[in-house]
Amino acid sequence: MMALATSRQHLIDRLPKPRGRLTADAPLGPQTWFRAGGPAEVLFRPADVEDLSSFLAALPAEVPVMVLGVGSNVIVRDSGVKGVVVRLMRGFTGITVDGHEVVAGAGAPDLNVALTARDHALAGLEFLSGIPGTIGGAFPTNAGAYGGELSEVLVSAQAVDRSGTVHTVTAAELGLSYRHSTAPADWIFTSARLRAAPGDQLAIARRIAEIDGVRAESQPRSRTGGSTFANPPGHKAWELIDRAGCRGLKVGGAQVSEKHTNFLINTGEATATDIEALGEAVRRRVLEQSGVRMEWEIRRIGEKQR
C-alpha cells in the first residue's frame, strides 16, 4: 500500500501546475451513480477551457487522460484509473440562451439544459430531461432518448484534444450515428451549441413532466448506471435480456433490475467487479439464447483486476 501511495504521489509531483485543482488517489466510486469502484491516480478539476488546454499541452505524453462526467453511465473498475481523470465542474456548467439556440457547458446536466430551454419557451430539447448525464457525456455515444438524440439538435461543439489544441466542429464533422461518434477518442468536449425552436411553454413543460413520469414508472431509481446495453439492430435490449431469463439475476451485490431488465443495480454492497461480471453474464446468456451479441452502452474504465 505504501508503494502504491508513493507512486501516485510521484505522478502528481510530475504534473503541470494548473489554476484548477489536482488531487492524488481521489476516490471515484462515490462519485458514480453505482457508488462503486476505485480511485483516480490523479483527479483534475480544471478552472476553465484555457486551464484545461494549457494543462494538457504541458502534460507528459505518456500520462493517460480520461474524462468523467457525473458518473451516471460508467463503471469505474475496483483497481482504479491510472493517469489523470478530468472532471469538468465549476467553470463548465453554465447554460445561456442565444436567440433560438442554447449554449451549454459540458458539465451542465442534461436535465438543466432541458429546463433552461423550457424557461425560455424553446422546444425540441425536452428529450434531454430523460438522459441521466451531462452534455459532455452525450458526445461519445450520440446520447438519445424519448424520440430525440444529440445529432438532431447539435449545431456545433468545442473540444480540447490531448495536445491542448481547442477545436470547434459542426455536428456533421463528428460523424454521429446511433450510439456512436467518429470524434477522436482523446477529445474532451467542453461545450455545445444546441438548436431549439420557439414553442408553447406549457406544452414543453408537459412533455418534460411526461418523460419524468415514464421514467419513474419504468426505470429503477436505485443505484444504477442507466441503460446498460445498446439496442441491437432490430431488437430491444430489455426484451432479449428478459427472454434469456435474466430478470432479477444476481452476481454478488449486483442485480438485473426487476423493473427494467436493461438496468443493473447495486443492491447495497456490490463492487464494480460484481456489476461488470453481471453484465458479462447477461451478454453470454443472451448470445446463447438468441444468437444476438449485445454491446455495452455503459462505459467501463480503469484497470482490470488480475
Side-chain angles (χ1 to χ4, degrees), residues 236-289:
K236 293 182 178 178
W238 77 265
E239 290 181 343
L240 292 171
I241 296 168
D242 214 19
R243 286 206 300 266
C246 296
R247 186 179 294 268
L249 181 67
K250 291 183 178 180
V251 171
Q255 181 180 10
V256 175
S257 171
E258 298 271 7
K259 196 170 189 178
H260 192 312
T261 54
N262 199 24
F263 284 68
L264 307 182
I265 60 175
N266 179 353
T267 62
E269 300 298 330
T271 64
T273 302
D274 291 339
I275 297 166
E276 186 172 10
L278 176 60
E280 290 297 335
V282 168
R283 293 181 73 224
R284 285 194 300 272
R285 290 194 180 199
V286 168
L287 183 61
E288 291 169 1
Q289 195 276 332

Side-chain angles (χ1 to χ4, degrees), residues 5-289:
T6 301
S7 171
R8 285 178 169 153
Q9 190 61 44
H10 179 65
L11 174 61
I12 198 170
D13 288 342
R14 292 194 291 121
L15 299 181
K17 305 307 178 193
R19 287 182 287 112
R21 183 178 176 186
L22 291 175
T23 307
D25 201 19
L28 293 182
Q31 300 184 54
T32 70
W33 285 26
F34 275 123
R35 300 293 188 268
E41 190 168 2
V42 175
L43 181 65
F44 174 39
R45 299 180 179 92
D48 50 34
V49 174
E50 291 74 20
D51 192 34
L52 174 62
S53 174
S54 60
F55 177 84
L56 292 175
L59 188 67
E62 70 274 11
V63 178
V65 177
M66 186 171 296
V67 66
L68 178 69
V70 293
S72 61
N73 198 240
V74 65
I75 295 172
V76 177
R77 292 178 171 129
D78 294 312
S79 294
V81 183
K82 294 288 188 183
V84 175
V85 174
V86 178
R87 285 204 76 189
L88 304 181
M89 301 179 72
R90 183 179 301 177
F92 295 87
T93 58
I95 305 170
T96 59
V97 173
D98 181 11
H100 298 157
E101 297 177 344
V102 178
V103 181
D110 296 320
L111 173 60
N112 290 0
V113 176
L115 295 178
T116 298
R118 177 202 63 187
D119 293 345
H120 288 78
L122 293 174
L125 302 182
E126 296 92 332
F127 75 94
L128 288 171
S129 68
I131 301 176
T134 61
I135 288 297
F139 285 95
T141 61
N142 184 27
Y146 303 98
E149 61 184 17
L150 179 66
S151 62
E152 297 170 349
V153 298
L154 182 66
V155 177
S156 63
Q158 184 184 72
V160 183
D161 67 21
R162 180 60 176 78
S163 70
T165 302
V166 179
H167 302 264
T168 299
V169 293
T170 64
E173 291 173 305
L174 293 176
L176 300 175
S177 58
Y178 177 70
R179 301 299 176 265
H180 179 71
S181 167
T182 60
D186 69 349
W187 279 19
I188 297 176
F189 287 92
T190 56
S191 67
R193 178 176 288 269
L194 307 174
R195 182 185 303 106
D200 180 80
Q201 191 171 41
L202 183 57
I204 295 168
R206 285 174 177 163
R207 177 56 179 158
I208 290 175
E210 178 185 352
I211 289 172
D212 184 61
V214 170
R215 289 186 66 210
E217 183 178 338
S218 64
Q219 298 178 10
R221 291 291 178 99
S222 50
R223 297 179 180 180
T224 180
S227 180
T228 307
F229 302 105
N231 290 322
H235 299 277
K236 293 182 178 178
W238 77 265
E239 290 181 343
L240 292 171
I241 296 168
D242 214 19
R243 286 206 300 266
C246 296
R247 186 179 294 268
L249 181 67
K250 291 183 178 180
V251 171
Q255 181 180 10
V256 175
S257 171
E258 298 271 7
K259 196 170 189 178
H260 192 312
T261 54
N262 199 24
F263 284 68
L264 307 182
I265 60 175
N266 179 353
T267 62
E269 300 298 330
T271 64
T273 302
D274 291 339
I275 297 166
E276 186 172 10
L278 176 60
E280 290 297 335
V282 168
R283 293 181 73 224
R284 285 194 300 272
R285 290 194 180 199
V286 168
L287 183 61
E288 291 169 1
Q289 195 276 332

